[in-house]
Amino acid sequence: MSTTNGQWYPPEWPERIRLLSAGELTPVTPRRAATVLLLRDGPYEKAGQDAPQDAQGGDGEHTPDEFDAAARPRAARESAGPPEPAATPEAPETPPEHLPDAAGGAVGPAVYMLRRRASMAFAGGAYAYPGGSVDPRDERMVTWAGPSRAQWARRLGLDPSESTQAQAIVCAAVRETFEEAGVLLAGPTPHTVVADTTGDDWEADRAALVARDLSFAEFLDRRGLVLRSDLLGCWARWITPEFEPRRYDTWFFVAALPRGQRTRNASTEADRTVWIRPGDAADGYDRGELLMMPPTIATLRQLADYGSVADALAAATDRDLTPVLARARVENGELVLSWPGHDEFTKHIPGATGGPSA
């Protein structure tokens, strides 16, 4: 359910808010999760128009994309040491004429989004990014490049002693991106990235990861790969409201699509994928054409001002990761639902009865 714009708003929420306010609902402990905003400079689709689906379920995007050391968060570049010389980037395709230029004439980066199947119990029909829950096996040791696990713990807002848990969150981000988009942020050395993840052998490993027949650590070890944590920048952290039965404590990361790799709809949870400029996606949301959860539209609006992938990744270093958690209160006979720092999502629900704040 949504309102006049594309905000995802389940019809059962008002009653659950009332139960929580009355002390009759016990909040579920959120599961840790990670999601990745894959970014690229170059062509993308107009809001409301999805990329064509190919026969294998891919998104029809087969243009190699640029990747070099500049497209990494600043702190990651400093801690990872000097990179190998980057290949000369290929010239991007000319943007479609119907797409407006950003300030200064730059088109700006595109973000990869998928639409969750309408049959999904949580946020069915909503546009989102590749991501999912942390697997307990994501804590298993992997060959690692980039900031240390302790540095990641501090960046993610965890206790310094939770370095293993920090690794699990970063591993979940990389693993889920490979599982759902076929994109892998790992390479044979600390300064390289695999150039191609297509082929039957890669698909067999991806399917084994999805089925949990193979842990991510086993997958990397089998292929002799190093996890490139320096290619990720952490952008935001949102926690599902206390009145929602399916709760997640989710870290949102940004990353550049590695040169040569191709996205495809590898997820059984999605029925459509698209590369789209954040501003155009936000316009589609505002018109009620694209359904989204608050964290999704909030991150899109934040990204819309950046002129390139490198600019967005550099900005990730200084992003505030204070968790955003919805609050509900009774005010003048109404239930008021709000997300601190994000006034556009505030809802006023008439007919509320008295009770304590949620």
Side-chain angles (χ1 to χ4, degrees):
M1 177 181 177
S2 67
T3 54
T4 53
N5 57 23
Q7 184 175 342
W8 179 70
Y9 182 67
E12 65 271 16
W13 271 12
E15 179 59 24
R16 296 190 65 84
I17 292 171
R18 292 185 179 94
L19 291 174
L20 183 65
S21 297
E24 299 175 14
L25 181 67
T26 301
V28 174
T29 300
R31 299 178 60 182
R32 284 177 171 171
T35 191
V36 176
L37 286 67
L38 279 175
L39 304 173
R40 75 178 194 186
D41 293 314
Y44 45 83
E45 302 298 318
K46 189 175 181 180
Q49 296 180 351
D50 298 290
Q53 303 291 309
D54 61 29
Q56 289 74 40
D59 62 10
E61 297 287 346
H62 300 304
T63 303
D65 294 279
E66 300 177 13
F67 165 81
D68 59 30
R72 290 185 289 161
R74 182 175 68 251
R77 296 199 300 272
E78 293 170 353
S79 63
E84 295 180 357
T88 301
E90 299 179 6
E93 296 181 5
T94 302
E97 293 182 359
H98 63 255
L99 295 171
D101 287 345
V107 171
V111 61
Y112 182 72
M113 304 188 73
L114 52 84
R115 187 178 68 181
R116 295 171 60 83
R117 294 186 183 276
S119 59
M120 297 295 295
F122 184 80
Y127 279 80
Y129 314 113
S133 300
V134 171
D135 182 336
R137 297 178 300 172
D138 289 331
E139 294 185 3
R140 295 181 182 179
M141 293 301 293
V142 299
T143 307
W144 183 273
S148 69
R149 294 162 176 82
Q151 287 175 306
W152 269 111
R154 289 192 292 272
R155 178 63 185 131
L156 297 177
L158 304 179
D159 187 273
S161 64
E162 295 184 277
S163 58
T164 301
Q165 290 77 14
Q167 175 196 286
I169 294 166
V170 172
C171 279
V174 177
R175 174 180 52 75
E176 288 283 347
T177 303
F178 179 57
E179 289 181 9
E180 297 195 345
V183 171
L184 183 60
L185 302 176
T189 74
H191 302 299
T192 58
V193 184
V194 293
D196 186 6
T197 60
T198 60
D200 293 342
D201 57 334
W202 284 102
E203 176 56 25
D205 280 350
R206 192 199 65 79
L209 286 168
V210 173
R212 299 297 181 259
D213 294 334
L214 182 69
S215 73
F216 195 55
E218 292 168 334
F219 164 73
L220 293 176
D221 183 64
R222 173 188 296 181
R223 290 187 171 269
L225 296 175
V226 180
L227 184 144
R228 294 290 306 275
S229 80
D230 55 319
L231 301 185
L232 290 165
C234 201
W235 190 264
R237 181 182 178 186
W238 288 67
I239 302 176
T240 311
E242 293 180 330
F243 44 82
E244 170 60 44
R246 299 172 184 83
R247 300 191 65 210
Y248 302 93
D249 183 354
T250 304
W251 283 263
F252 288 73
F253 295 86
V254 290
L257 178 67
R259 181 183 176 90
Q261 292 195 35
R262 303 170 180 175
T263 55
R264 63 189 182 89
N265 186 5
S267 173
T268 59
E269 298 179 356
D271 61 7
R272 188 168 294 177
T273 61
V274 64
W275 279 102
I276 189 169
R277 182 175 176 266
D280 289 335
D283 289 344
Y285 167 91
D286 290 337
R287 293 192 299 267
E289 297 171 358
L290 303 181
L291 183 67
M292 298 179 200
M293 292 175 282
T296 309
I297 181 59
T299 50
L300 286 171
R301 294 203 196 283
Q302 292 158 357
L303 283 170
D305 293 334
Y306 294 95
S308 69
V309 173
D311 290 344
L313 291 180
T317 304
D318 300 318
R319 292 282 306 170
D320 181 6
L321 298 185
T322 301
V324 179
L325 175 63
R327 302 180 183 277
R329 66 184 187 276
V330 176
E331 185 177 285
N332 299 323
E334 289 185 326
L335 280 174
V336 181
L337 174 60
S338 62
W339 280 258
H342 299 272
D343 292 342
E344 73 165 296
F345 305 129
T346 299
K347 298 288 185 187
H348 294 263
I349 306 165
T353 56
S357 296

